[in-house]
Every structure is written in C-alpha cells, then in structure tokens.
Amino acid sequence: MKLAERMSRLGTETAFEVLVRARALEAKGRDIIHLEIGEPDFDTPRHIVEAGKEALDKGFTHYGPTQGLPELRETIAEYVSRTRGISAGAANVCVVPGGKPIIFFPLLALLEPGDEAIYPNPGFPIYESMINFLGATPVPMPLVEERGFSFDLNLLEKKLTPRTKLLIINSPQNPTGGVIPRDDIRAIADLVRNRDLVVLSDEIYSRMYFDEPPASITQYPGMLEKTIILDGFSKTYAMTGWRMGYGVMPKWLVEPVNKLMVNSNSCTATFTQRAGIAALKGPQDDVDKMVQAFRERRDAFCSALNQLPGFRCRMPNGAFYAFPNITGTGYSSKELSEGLLNEAGVACLSGTAFGDFGEGYLRFSIANSLENLMKAVGRIRTFLEARKTVPAGA
Ligand SMILES: Cc1ncc(COP(=O)(O)O)c(C=O)c1O
C-alpha cells in the first residue's frame, strides 16, 4: 500500500531511535551510559503521584472536557500569569497530552503551502518536521554559539517577509541549553509586533535555568495577543510518561486547537490532570532540588568536556543539555556520535539530529548521575586518544 505523499515529509526525533539502538547493544551485554534522551532522571514527586492515585480512586476515569478540567485550566492560568508577569485567563488555556501537541495542533491549524515559518536550527526537531509535513516553507534561523546560542537579530530581520506566518522561539533551549537574553527577546518583540504573524514560544524548560530567569516574549506590549506559550509538566515535574502539557494562546486559536483535540484525543486523561493541579499548587522544593542537581552536573561535566582534545563547551544557562563544539576533533558530528555509541559505550546525539546547523556539535543530556557523566568523559577521552590520527581533515 502506498502511503500518503505527506508522510515522506514528516521527520522524527532521533533521541528515541538512538535509545532503541543503545538498548539493543545492552541486550548483547554492552555497558552503555545513556546521555541521549531528554528526560529528567528523577521520579515524579511523591505528592503528585499520590494525587494521581487518589484521583483514580475517586473515579476520575471518565472522559473530561476537551479543553481540560476547568480547575486545572484556572490553576495553569494563575501559574503562567504569575511566572510570566502577564494576565492570562482559563479561557486561553488548552490542556493536551504533552507539550508536543502544542506544536502539532497550532501548526496544523495555521500553516499551509506558501506560508513561511522561522524556527531555531539547531532546534527541537519536531518544529522542522511539522513545517515540512504541512507543506509550508521552513526558514531556519542558525543559532550563534558566540551569542550563547541566541539568534543573530539582523539576520532575523532579513528573514521576516510578508509571507512569514509563524516564528518559533525556544528558551531555555533544546539542544543548546542557551537562554535568549531579555534584551534579545525585547528586540524580537519589537521586530514582530506590527507584523501579521504568530509566535510560538516554547517555554517547556522555563523553570530550568541557572542564572537569570528566562524572559517570556508575552511580557512585552502587544505580544500576548499573538503568542502561543507552550509549557507542560514533563520536564519541570519529571512527568514525561504522564503525557500532559498545555498551551496558553489567543482565544481565536483555542477553538481550532479544541477541534483538533476532539478529532484526535477527545481529552487529556482526567486523573493525570488532577495530578497536574497538585503539581502546580503543591510544594515546589523537588523542582528546586532537581535544578540544583543539574547545576552541579553541568558545572562538572562541561568543565571536564572542555579538557578533552578538540572539544569546546559553553556553559549552558538552562535546560539539562550540554552542546559542545567538536569541530576540533576532526570528526563530523555523526561520525563521532556513532563511534562513541558503538565503541565507547556512550549514547549521545549528533548535533545534526537538531537540523543542519547542528553540524560540528554533539548533544549530551545531563539527566544522569554525576558519576556516570564523569565516567562518560573518561570513555570519550580514551576513544579520542586511541584514534589520534584517524580523522580526515583534522
Ligand atoms: C523544546 C521542547 N519542546 C517540547 C518538548 C515536548 O515535551 P513533551 O514530552 O511534554 O511532549 C520537548 C521534549 O523534549 C522539548 O525539548
């Protein structure tokens, strides 16, 4: 059977493929250090799990409203308004199964052939995948290492055209760990304020920062009306498997997103939504502890990476990834990530898994113990030293 042509344009998220390959090597007896997948290595905090169990016992096992339980939407509206310094209401909130549907649904509702969509590259691969899938024109914005992996604002200005319908920004960022400086966010707002476009602001790592808190573009005048905030529970509360996220968006976008939800999921699981209320209203010390652990690992791991021959690693300011420049090794990103997986037992991702502009980089998730992270650096060093002469063009 021939698949629909559009399927050939749909991309993927390589992290899941590398995880499968790493597990297959483990099944053959190999010892692999997993630094490929982007999920916290912490358990969901106890009080959130208890709230989920209690909800099951109380019968939250039925369909719920498509847009999300009103109490959760109220709680999210209050949380997002407080953390971003904006005024969003429950009517602006759509609760969906994970953060990803807030890429899938709004892009499906907005983009068609002829539209241009600007997105970060390297960036979360689902942006480019969905833009291509919908037949819109992908306009990659290279991230600049020297600017802490932020945009070149002059280039952004040049890439904005009357056809630009969507601008995607992501801060703190996957895969680079970059946080877009507040002044840049303000400048981006100034560039797009009077244009007929929508901004998708992916703020899924909003609580994971090590210096200044990241700014949301919605704080700037006129921007809340044209921005979709993507956030969720996966990263902040270590709830990746619960599948729950949300979008905060202008009301005119809520209805099409609801329609797409009715046509796909009907609603998000109701007992997980009760757990979500507990997550946002309950104690936040587990989040703080997790971020503190990521900070310690970041400091040690990135310093150690910087001692490796041919590696140069900026200190990420947020999220839980290290994104070293490896051009000095002479290997391409793909060659090095393959070599590290197959020969050194370190699973990581090639920068190109996040787009063409990721060439010359690797992504390591630091969601693993400090001991394993340091062991991984040792294995990488052994790998590099054993092959000092191999790389072509080094
Ligand atoms: C930048 C970014 N956005 C969105 C998501 C999707 O999150 P979820 O697992 O809640 O769908 C991820 C997950 O890795 C991410 O890194």
Side-chain angles (χ1 to χ4, degrees), residues 21-342:
R21 288 176 52 211
R23 292 247 161 91
L25 289 172
E26 281 174 322
K28 286 187 193 154
R30 293 279 310 283
D31 176 38
I32 307 287
I33 302 175
H34 289 276
L35 306 182
E36 75 279 43
I37 199 89
E39 76 170 335
D41 56 320
F42 293 85
D43 289 331
T44 305
R46 211 55 237 160
H47 68 280
I48 302 175
V49 175
E50 290 306 327
K53 283 160 72 176
E54 196 184 312
L56 283 170
D57 286 339
K58 284 190 172 158
F60 281 91
T61 53
H62 298 270
Y63 290 132
T66 296
Q67 200 176 334
L69 295 176
E71 191 184 343
L72 176 58
R73 288 194 292 110
E74 288 286 351
T75 307
I76 291 170
E78 188 279 318
Y79 167 78
V80 169
S81 299
R82 175 165 43 84
T83 48
R84 274 66 169 188
I86 58 174
S87 176
N92 300 103
V93 177
C94 293
V95 179
V96 290
K100 264 181 183 165
I102 295 297
I103 304 171
F104 198 87
F105 295 146
L107 267 63
L108 208 51
L110 286 168
L111 295 182
E112 58 194 346
D115 295 333
E116 294 175 4
I118 303 179
Y119 63 102
N121 189 322
F124 189 49
I126 304 307
Y127 309 143
E128 190 174 83
S129 164
M130 282 303 296
I131 296 165
N132 283 327
F133 183 60
L134 298 168
T137 306
V139 182
M141 268 303 297
L143 299 181
V144 187
E145 184 182 345
E146 297 70 29
R147 300 199 77 241
F149 293 110
S150 192
F151 291 151
D152 170 345
L153 295 172
N154 293 324
L155 186 62
L156 176 62
E157 189 169 7
K158 284 193 194 112
K159 297 223 172 189
L160 287 163
T161 77
R163 285 173 177 267
T164 309
K165 194 155 182 193
L166 183 73
L167 168 67
I168 304 178
I169 55 177
N170 172 215
S171 173
Q173 214 245 356
N174 177 11
T176 65
V179 173
I180 305 178
R182 188 168 291 270
D183 284 350
D184 282 16
I185 294 277
R186 188 186 293 113
I188 296 169
D190 290 343
L191 282 175
V192 302
R193 180 169 296 111
N194 296 320
R195 287 178 174 271
D196 188 21
L197 56 72
V198 171
V199 177
L200 173 62
S201 181
D202 186 339
E203 303 180 8
I204 194 110
Y205 297 100
S206 59
R207 297 278 292 278
M208 310 204 151
Y209 56 90
F210 308 119
D211 304 302
E212 288 295 298
S216 172
I217 196 162
T218 51
Q219 289 164 356
Y220 295 100
M223 293 310 298
L224 188 56
E225 293 78 0
K226 59 198 313 162
T227 302
I228 304 160
I229 296 177
L230 179 166
D231 202 345
F233 297 84
S234 299
K235 317 287 175 176
T236 306
Y237 298 103
M239 292 176 75
T240 46
W242 293 71
R243 305 315 298 142
M244 190 169 36
Y246 53 86
V248 179
M249 62 195 80
K251 285 194 189 131
W252 65 270
L253 258 170
V254 168
E255 197 197 322
V257 167
N258 280 342
K259 243 188 193 170
L260 288 162
M261 266 295 280
V262 172
N263 276 273
S264 52
N265 297 277
S266 298
C267 66
T268 305
T270 41
F271 63 95
T272 64
Q273 294 188 62
R274 298 293 304 174
I277 297 169
L280 291 175
K281 286 193 169 165
Q284 302 293 304
D285 18 333
D286 285 306
V287 182
D288 298 338
K289 270 188 228 152
M290 187 162 69
V291 174
Q292 184 54 27
F294 286 144
R295 179 197 299 275
E296 283 160 20
R297 295 172 191 178
R298 169 198 78 151
D299 290 349
F301 184 62
C302 295
S303 307
L305 285 181
N306 273 319
Q307 307 299 316
L308 291 173
F311 272 61
R312 182 178 78 216
C313 185
R314 284 186 74 88
M315 278 288 167
N317 292 324
F320 42 80
Y321 306 109
F323 200 64
N325 182 318
I326 52 93
T327 46
T329 65
Y331 289 101
S332 72
S333 299
K334 186 92 186 137
E335 281 166 349
L336 190 52
S337 60
E338 288 292 316
L340 292 179
L341 174 63
N342 294 320

